Amino acid sequence: MNTPQDAVEKPGLSIVLGGTGGLGAALVQGLRERGETVLTIGRRTDPPIDFTQPASIAACAQRVADELSARGQRLQRLIVATGFLHGSTASGSRAEPERSWQHLDADALAHSFAINAIGPALVMRHFLPLLPRQGPCLAAFFSARVGSIGDNALGGWYAYRASKAALNQLVRTASIELARRNRESLCVALHPGTVDTPLSQPFAKTGLTVRSPEVAAAELIAVMDGLTASQTGGFYDHQGQTVPW
């Protein structure tokens, strides 16, 4: 008779926050095509998550914890495929990438930080403890090359650059704490490149390499598969190359 210890462990669960967006949905599809069990979470899913509503992040994490317990499963891969560059803010005003400091706006800045930094930080608080204490596991947060301070030669895009730079620091800091509880864990920031989604479409220039969500998702999955625990806390692009801080 098999004891619980003798039973075959169930495959881990992957979660894609922002999994209803263009790139997020392609990631979900790509992972499912490999036979992985994937939970898609967005603002209109069940459970829902809204980075402008901190209570929803805690509630969503609790629902996920209950689901993992009920399934007897562990969280293997957490992907945060969210971001805000332009569009309506929580207050209903319109935000666009700033060309000059003259365009800096408190509401747009606050919303960019809420979606690109504060929301992911609260995801770290509530979801990272759900990752296992032993064995390989991954938390990947989608950043952007324009969040690199060292790579900034053009200026502009203040809110997006600053909020993604903040995310990079959060990822680096969380990776250190996560490694203390699990030496095989990975916590990284990823630059997806320019993808044909509503976030990037207005700014895709002639000559810029724009990839479909499906191609970008396949590239990012390959990068995540290829990373090792020694690379935790890093910032990598869709080709697996290190992006400067």
Side-chain angles (χ1 to χ4, degrees):
M1 180 176 179
N2 289 338
T3 64
Q5 290 77 15
D6 297 324
V8 176
E9 185 177 357
K10 292 184 179 180
L13 177 71
S14 294
I15 293 178
V16 181
L17 299 182
T20 57
L23 180 54
L27 282 162
V28 170
Q29 183 64 26
L31 292 170
R32 285 178 175 166
E33 287 176 354
R34 305 196 322 174
E36 296 192 24
T37 303
V38 187
L39 179 60
T40 303
I41 298 179
R43 286 179 294 175
R44 298 175 184 85
T45 58
D46 183 24
I49 195 166
D50 184 342
F51 283 2
T52 66
Q53 302 293 327
S56 77
I57 303 173
C60 184
Q62 186 58 58
R63 285 278 301 277
V64 169
D66 293 343
E67 182 71 15
L68 288 169
S69 179
R71 294 185 183 190
Q73 217 169 12
R74 65 192 219 164
L75 177 57
Q76 196 72 37
R77 192 194 308 249
L78 172 67
I79 302 173
V80 183
T82 55
F84 177 80
L85 173 59
H86 61 94
S88 297
T89 69
S91 69
S93 64
R94 182 76 185 177
E96 297 288 346
E98 309 90 346
R99 294 183 179 181
S100 164
W101 58 55
Q102 296 178 355
H103 302 142
L104 286 168
D105 175 79
D107 181 63
L109 283 162
H111 190 78
S112 292
F113 272 83
I115 302 302
N116 296 335
I118 298 172
L122 294 177
V123 167
M124 293 171 185
R125 173 182 176 179
H126 296 292
F127 280 84
L128 292 187
L130 303 182
L131 291 169
R133 288 184 172 271
Q134 292 182 328
C137 60
L138 168 76
F141 295 80
F142 284 8
S143 184
R145 186 179 294 275
V146 295
S148 165
I149 295 173
D151 193 56
N152 183 359
L154 297 176
W157 290 32
Y158 285 82
Y160 193 64
R161 286 185 187 277
S163 58
K164 287 297 189 178
L167 172 63
N168 292 344
Q169 181 67 282
L170 289 163
V171 168
R172 178 73 172 185
T173 303
S175 73
I176 296 169
E177 184 171 358
L178 188 62
R180 290 180 183 140
R181 71 194 296 274
N182 183 347
R183 293 182 179 179
E184 296 182 77
S185 65
L186 265 165
C187 183
V188 295
L190 297 179
H191 166 57
T194 305
V195 185
D196 187 15
T197 64
L199 184 143
S200 298
Q201 282 169 353
F203 310 101
K205 300 176 182 178
T206 302
L208 196 63
T209 302
V210 181
R211 292 117 60 240
S212 69
E214 293 73 22
V215 168
E219 292 172 343
L220 290 164
I221 290 170
V223 170
M224 288 185 278
D225 286 346
L227 293 172
T228 66
S230 65
Q231 293 173 283
T232 192
F235 184 14
Y236 307 99
D237 69 11
H238 54 94
Q239 295 179 326
Q241 300 300 309
T242 299
V243 181
W245 295 118

